[in-house]
Amino acid sequence: MTNRYKERNDEKADEKRPEDAAERWDRDFVRELHAIRRPKILKRIPGLNNGEVWILGAIWGLERERQMERIRVSELVKMMHCPAPAVSRQLKSLESRSFILRETDPEDRRNTLVSLTDAGIAKAKEMEACLNEFARGVYERMGAEDMEELIRLLRRLRHILEEEEGRWMSAGRNRKEEAPKKGKKKGEMR
Amino acid sequence: MTNRYKERNDEKADEKRPEDAAERWDRDFVRELHAIRRPKILKRIPGLNNGEVWILGAIWGLERERQMERIRVSELVKMMHCPAPAVSRQLKSLESRSFILRETDPEDRRNTLVSLTDAGIAKAKEMEACLNEFARGVYERMGAEDMEELIRLLRRLRHILEEEEGRWMSAGRNRKEEAPKKGKKKGEMR
């Protein structure tokens, strides 16, 4: 215990040394990304809770993209990066208000298929119109120059990120090959 | 059915009209944010899967922030924006490898408390060092000028977003007061 508290105090002392530029960028950048990621507006769509907004939007997006009616629940789960039971719960709630239909896949009875009802399509369009109007207001206040510059910088950051990830992963592979006796099971590495 | 396919085709025709600037910004901005949000590097921390990385990082962050040992599971769930059973599963897995301890809160037996073990602290530090080294490489390649500009633009966007959300919400309240007979239950509105 004493040892852990001591460590905690070392951390504290550590935090007092001046931040360097990369640390400041990291803190500020992560903070801004986090604030932008979950806009409160998504909690204010009439008649839908926050989770339902995401799922209804995902079904609507997939249905439109593929020009087909029914979407596999397993695909939705994968797309939402969300555990299956949580997705199921939201689907059940959307179904209880007749926004979606759930059916067993006649071609593979292990799959459940979902589709938007007419009421669901109307609700998705209402939600989309509401979010688009809101986003348009924000982008227009930002102005063309700043929006173009913001997108250019994010794109540049993403390219660098992807390149560095590539380098990192091939270096990791090499490290693994050079030092395979570190006592970690292979399954644990990935 | 026919009706819905027709609607689908109208959508398609709709998509063919030229995008305006705000639509293009929305598409590009959302795409870049999405790509940056889930860096693949988080899947490459030796000995931890992706979900464990987030949870271990969250416990480590909270423990350090509060200079106290034990964190309520309910707080973690809230912080992770993730359903409780998914968090529990990751905690069980971290516990099975002795990175954390789970205990019943002696002051309120309905709560479970978690804390990092010494091995957990070591793993969190290893993970942090790895991510910091990676992030530093990315930021340094971006360069000071572009990083400062990116943060300035994100901050400006966030301020506008917050102001517009405030306006939107007070307008929504007014709309609700003016037209309370729209047939929606109050509970459905939020």
Side-chain angles (χ1 to χ4, degrees), chain B residues 8-190:
Chain B
R8 206 67 23 119
N9 288 334
D10 289 349
E11 287 299 332
K12 225 183 143 190
D14 216 42
E15 270 160 28
K16 267 174 197 149
R17 81 177 158 69
E19 271 182 329
D20 71 16
E23 285 164 340
R24 188 165 38 80
W25 295 331
D26 191 56
R27 175 173 51 79
D28 290 348
F29 179 59
V30 170
R31 178 189 296 163
E32 295 305 330
L33 275 193
H34 195 81
I36 286 170
R37 246 166 73 170
R38 301 190 165 270
K40 290 193 210 76
I41 187 78
L42 288 174
K43 297 186 180 167
R44 299 295 172 125
I45 307 294
L48 294 173
N49 72 33
N50 192 241
E52 291 171 341
V53 164
W54 288 100
I55 305 243
L56 196 69
I59 301 173
W60 176 231
L62 284 174
E63 280 202 7
R64 245 194 328 192
E65 195 182 298
R66 302 187 189 170
Q67 299 176 45
M68 62 186 228
E69 300 275 317
R70 295 178 297 176
I71 309 293
R72 287 182 183 187
V73 172
S74 53
E75 274 181 295
L76 267 183
V77 167
K78 206 169 162 190
M79 189 182 176
M80 307 290 301
H81 299 280
C82 204
V87 171
S88 277
R89 204 169 47 238
Q90 304 288 6
L91 290 175
K92 201 173 284 180
S93 162
L94 288 172
E95 191 182 32
S96 76
R97 283 182 291 148
S98 306
F99 290 143
I100 62 161
L101 275 181
R102 291 193 294 178
E103 299 159 87
T104 302
D105 185 350
E107 287 168 24
D108 180 349
R109 300 192 55 83
R110 289 164 303 179
N111 288 326
T112 303
L113 301 174
V114 293
S115 54
L116 295 178
T117 61
D118 287 344
I121 292 175
K123 181 52 95 176
K125 283 187 178 174
E126 180 194 328
M127 172 178 109
E128 198 173 41
C130 170
L131 295 179
N132 283 348
E133 188 194 331
F134 177 77
R136 182 174 293 269
V138 172
Y139 298 144
E140 277 170 4
R141 274 189 60 191
M142 273 290 278
E145 201 180 320
D146 275 5
M147 277 311 296
E148 302 282 358
E149 181 68 357
L150 176 56
I151 290 165
R152 183 189 72 79
L153 290 167
L154 285 173
R155 193 172 282 150
R156 181 157 183 251
L157 184 74
R158 176 171 58 85
H159 287 312
I160 293 174
L161 199 76
E162 285 169 356
E163 274 180 29
E164 290 290 312
E165 276 174 344
R167 274 166 30 116
W168 196 268
M169 280 167 202
S170 52
R173 249 198 307 282
N174 293 341
R175 270 201 298 274
K176 218 172 120 189
E177 278 158 20
E178 280 159 23
K181 289 166 201 145
K182 249 199 150 178
K184 277 180 187 119
K185 278 177 225 137
K186 210 178 170 188
E188 275 187 314
M189 293 294 289
R190 293 284 168 267

Side-chain angles (χ1 to χ4, degrees), chain A residues 70-74 102-114:
Chain A
R70 296 178 300 176
I71 308 294
R72 287 184 182 185
V73 172
S74 53
R102 291 194 294 178
E103 298 159 88
T104 301
D105 185 350
E107 287 170 23
D108 181 348
R109 300 193 55 82
R110 289 165 303 178
N111 287 328
T112 303
L113 302 174
V114 294

Side-chain angles (χ1 to χ4, degrees), chain A residues 19-35:
Chain A
E19 274 182 325
D20 72 16
E23 285 163 341
R24 188 165 37 81
W25 296 331
D26 191 57
R27 175 173 51 78
D28 290 347
F29 179 60
V30 170
R31 178 190 295 164
E32 296 304 331
L33 275 193
H34 194 79

